[in-house]
Amino acid sequence: MMKKEDLRIVFMGTPEFAVATLRTLVENQYNVVAVVTQPDKPVGRHGSVLQPSQVKQYALEHGLPVLQPVKMKDPDFVEQLRAFDANLQVVVAFRMLPEVVWAMPQYGTFNVHAALLPQYRGAAPINWAVINGETETGVTTFFLDHDIDTGRIIMKRPFAIPDDADVEYVYDGLMHLGAQLCLDTLDAIIAADGRPATIAQEDAKGPSPSSLKTAPKIFKETCEIDWGKSAKQVYDFVRGLSPVPGAWTTLVAPDGRETVMKIYKTRKRETAGQGSGTLTTDGKTLCISASDKMLEIVELQLAGKKRMQARDFLNGMKNIDAYSVKKSPEKI
């Protein structure tokens, strides 16, 4: 029967979300023979400083070999990877792998995905689950195959999303849940001598293919608030992008000057709206009307300014009633 020591693991990941799983593997004495992560990222005004990923920082602190390929199909990288003689690869928050990489190990490559597959395939599953007002999400481990997030499911674990939770809360919860699910998946692989029971995603209990929701990458344009939607939709949109990258709208001064305003937190009100995008205040609270009801703005940030409470914003603003916000994102 296979033992823990029989697994030679290559770990692949980049952000903080992945560090939790790598740390759990190391602390539980799994044999991580190498770590693959993104190349160092240029930062600073002139991009003259290279910043290593959080996964790389952790790996170096613990004496783990690090590979940072620019292209995953690069022959030199593939040769280096093969030299570690891993029989299993674990992927968390990384990038799409070519078959020459994911098919390399004897026991394959499994991914820890922050959603209950087949729902929310894609790059930003945590954001989109909150944006869409889901009350539950979770984590799935599955073996990689030719398409993105479509491989055979090994395990799932659910995670409840409270109505007032923002994406940071869900991110933290799934980060730790994913680390534990990775351990459970490794235990299953060991117990099954490398071939654990799996289920095809099309056979998994869940919604019909026509009702599957996707989780595409989020860009700045994605984050613009559409006040023509319902207050509940805007409320979920804001918390699904808070604190990063942040939902935003355009504040228009009486003279036509425009300023980008990020909104980090809102509060639902039962007051009927006064027309989508209409700003109203009683001097203490700031509200913006969605298509049906008002939303109270709790935390915001003007371009070039610090994040602040709405009441502090009102203290520094004169004639706020004469301002407006752009109702809907401009269609390009």
Side-chain angles (χ1 to χ4, degrees):
M1 181 174 171
M2 184 189 293
K3 299 178 181 178
K4 179 192 279 190
E5 305 81 57
D6 296 329
L7 285 181
R8 291 177 56 82
I9 299 170
V10 165
F11 181 87
M12 300 184 182
T14 295
E16 175 195 25
F17 191 90
V19 175
T21 299
L22 177 57
R23 180 186 296 114
T24 298
L25 294 179
V26 171
E27 292 178 352
N28 283 274
Q29 288 80 52
Y30 280 91
N31 184 19
V32 179
V33 297
V35 169
V36 182
T37 190
Q38 294 278 46
D40 293 358
K41 186 178 181 180
V43 295
R45 181 170 294 181
H46 304 293
S48 56
V49 178
L50 292 178
Q51 180 175 300
S53 73
Q54 288 162 299
V55 162
K56 179 181 178 179
Q57 292 176 49
Y58 180 88
L60 293 180
E61 288 168 4
H62 293 80
L64 301 174
V66 175
L67 301 177
Q68 295 177 274
V70 174
K71 295 182 179 179
M72 299 298 291
K73 291 182 179 180
D74 181 83
D76 290 340
F77 163 67
V78 173
E79 185 178 336
Q80 286 179 302
L81 185 62
R82 189 170 281 116
F84 284 103
D85 195 29
N87 51 18
L88 181 70
Q89 292 174 157
V90 177
V91 180
V92 184
F94 194 45
R95 57 204 273 196
M96 188 173 180
L97 304 183
E99 183 172 2
V100 68
V101 172
W102 61 255
M104 187 183 295
Q106 176 186 2
Y107 302 126
T109 299
F110 77 81
N111 182 280
V112 180
H113 186 73
L116 296 175
L117 291 173
Q119 285 284 24
Y120 295 107
R121 294 169 176 158
I126 305 176
N127 299 94
W128 286 109
V130 181
I131 288 170
N132 289 333
E134 303 287 1
T135 57
E136 182 182 76
T137 184
V139 183
T140 303
T141 51
F142 68 97
F143 282 115
L144 296 190
D145 64 11
H146 293 90
D147 299 313
I148 297 176
D149 301 338
T150 60
R152 295 184 66 84
I153 292 171
I154 311 168
M155 290 184 174
K156 288 186 183 185
R157 291 287 185 279
F159 181 84
I161 305 177
D163 183 64
D164 61 349
D166 62 16
V167 90
E168 185 174 45
Y169 171 90
V170 183
Y171 180 100
D172 288 344
L174 294 184
M175 179 170 65
H176 294 103
L177 184 62
Q180 183 56 53
L181 186 61
C182 180
L183 289 189
D184 294 343
T185 300
L186 289 171
D187 288 344
I189 289 172
I190 292 168
D193 286 330
R195 303 299 175 198
T198 60
I199 183 170
Q201 291 194 33
E202 54 266 30
D203 296 331
K205 183 180 179 182
S208 63
S210 62
S211 61
L212 291 180
K213 298 170 185 174
T214 57
K217 188 174 181 179
I218 288 175
F219 300 94
K220 180 184 177 182
E221 303 77 43
T222 314
C223 303
E224 186 175 3
I225 298 170
D226 182 352
W227 296 102
K229 293 189 174 182
S230 71
K232 174 68 165 65
Q233 287 175 308
V234 176
Y235 172 82
D236 291 336
F237 187 78
V238 168
R239 64 193 185 99
L241 295 168
S242 180
V244 176
W248 61 275
T249 192
T250 302
L251 187 65
V252 184
D255 62 5
R257 286 182 296 119
E258 297 184 351
T259 305
V260 169
M261 180 171 70
K262 284 191 174 183
I263 298 177
Y264 294 99
K265 187 175 181 180
T266 64
R267 184 177 292 125
K268 288 182 280 188
R269 303 281 290 264
E270 289 305 314
T271 313
Q274 297 183 11
S276 299
T278 302
L279 273 171
T280 55
T281 180
D282 58 7
K284 297 179 181 179
T285 58
L286 174 66
C287 293
I288 302 178
S289 293
S291 66
D292 53 354
K293 297 176 182 177
M294 289 184 182
L295 269 182
E296 181 183 341
I297 311 304
V298 179
E299 290 183 50
L300 58 85
Q301 181 180 18
L302 292 180
K305 305 291 185 180
K306 293 182 178 180
R307 180 171 169 175
M308 66 182 79
Q309 296 291 310
R311 60 178 176 270
D312 296 324
F313 167 77
L314 290 173
N315 288 338
M317 290 290 291
K318 295 180 180 179
N319 199 27
I320 187 64
D321 278 332
Y323 283 70
S324 61
V325 297
K326 286 191 173 180
K327 175 181 175 180
S328 303
E330 293 181 9
K331 300 295 186 287
I332 299 175

